Amino acid sequence: MRLVLVGPPGAGKGTQAEFVAAHLAVPKISTGDIFRSNVRGGTPLGIEAKRYMDDGKLVPDEVTINMVRGRLAEADALDGFLLDGFPRTVPQAQELDKMLADMGTQLDVVLELVVDEDEVIRRLAGRRNCRGCDKIWHMEFDPPTREGVCDRCGGQLYQRDDDKPETILNRLREYAEKTAPLIDYYGAQNKLVGIDATGLVEDITVRAIDALRSYGG
Ligand code: AP5
Ligand code: MG
């Protein structure tokens, strides 16, 4: 299955991506994770992306599209994938449609995680990520047993640089302006399915898997 997850910052895309991709047996491709790993590695791509990420702005389309084109050509993505955080603009969506058409295929479905703004602000403000295995935690909603330490791998937890209050507001503004139009774009292609993404993480996963069933998932 070829699937895109869309939703505002903090909607739970990364959290759900892990479970849904495992269920579908497809690779999870998160553009945010790829940028952050390049930032950590100090690569030219990371140095460029960081300038935008730290302000809560989107990385330019050209840079992002080229990166995704390379990733989708890798062997593990040829039979299916779950994209988390891409596309994020209408030009990115148009390029993705073209890339897939060139490969003789197309997207099956776009899953929208619907959460209101107050909830995403609460989620982002308390988020912690693991330096070791990238697992996503929340200080209140999903805390590790020992503060600051990942239960899964023992790694150290950190707060993302872009989870500061002023940057969160910029990211929400970018979403409303540049990403929300994708809802209409994919609605017009009859590929959009929305689910309520509030409540327990495991209940949302069940809702997601149910919603994907009628698209072949
Ligand atoms: P990216 O990393 O994609 O960030 P984002 O879209 O802002 O989304 P987040 O990762 O913040 O949220 P999420 O929906 O994954 O939520 P999560 O599961 O972590 O992008 C970062 C930056 O990279 C962008 O700003 C941009 O600069 C650049 N970038 C990336 N892609 C790009 C693109 N395509 N084009 C241009 N630039 C791009 O959950 C959040 C918190 O909530 C966690 O603490 C979690 O534990 C908690 N939580 C999850 N589910 C629940 C629940 N059900 N109940 C309670 N808490 C929950
Ligand atoms: Mg994420």
Side-chain angles (χ1 to χ4, degrees):
M1 173 171 248
R2 294 177 177 84
L3 158 73
V4 164
L5 278 191
V6 69
K13 300 183 296 295
T15 302
Q16 293 301 328
E18 183 166 333
F19 300 117
V20 174
H23 172 81
L24 298 172
V26 294
K28 164 183 91 96
I29 300 176
S30 160
T31 43
D33 286 351
I34 302 175
F35 283 134
R36 278 184 291 279
S37 117
N38 276 278
V39 170
R40 275 198 297 272
T43 68
L45 175 65
I47 291 165
E48 172 159 24
K50 188 170 165 38
R51 292 184 6 227
Y52 300 94
M53 294 169 83
D54 283 353
D55 287 339
K57 301 275 185 211
L58 293 181
V59 177
D61 282 342
E62 199 186 285
V63 175
T64 310
I65 289 165
N66 283 334
M67 179 177 89
V68 172
R69 184 177 285 116
R71 180 64 187 87
L72 289 184
E74 287 178 32
D76 66 332
L78 295 181
D79 290 333
F81 52 76
L82 181 158
L83 279 166
D84 155 22
F86 182 93
R88 279 269 240 286
T89 63
V90 170
Q92 290 182 13
Q94 290 166 334
E95 278 303 318
L96 177 63
D97 282 347
K98 273 193 224 152
M99 267 181 236
L100 294 175
D102 287 347
M103 295 162 90
T105 186
Q106 57 175 324
L107 278 181
D108 293 302
V109 58
V110 175
L111 182 68
E112 181 192 4
L113 300 184
V114 180
V115 186
D116 71 34
E117 195 162 302
D118 289 345
E119 175 69 9
V120 300
I121 290 172
R122 274 195 294 276
R123 289 184 183 182
L124 292 173
R127 173 167 58 191
R128 294 293 181 272
N129 293 63
C130 175
R131 280 196 201 285
C133 68
D134 284 331
K135 177 159 169 55
I136 303 164
W137 297 92
H138 192 283
M139 292 201 304
E140 190 187 337
F141 305 136
D142 185 17
T145 320
R146 271 206 298 150
E147 204 186 315
V149 181
C150 179
D151 283 357
R152 186 157 76 181
C153 78
Q156 188 194 23
L157 304 189
Y158 73 100
Q159 184 168 30
R160 268 171 49 176
D161 285 343
D162 60 351
D163 278 348
K164 297 186 202 91
E166 67 278 14
T167 317
I168 290 175
L169 292 180
N170 282 342
R171 288 162 61 202
L172 290 170
R173 230 177 327 225
E174 286 278 270
Y175 179 82
E177 212 176 286
K178 296 180 180 155
T179 309
L182 292 182
I183 304 304
D184 284 344
Y185 180 87
Y186 287 120
Q189 294 187 1
N190 283 322
K191 289 197 170 155
L192 186 77
V193 54
I195 59 164
D196 171 12
T198 57
L200 294 176
V201 168
E202 47 272 36
D203 291 347
I204 299 165
T205 307
V206 171
R207 261 173 243 155
I209 290 169
D210 277 351
L212 297 177
R213 212 159 273 139
S214 44
Y215 292 83

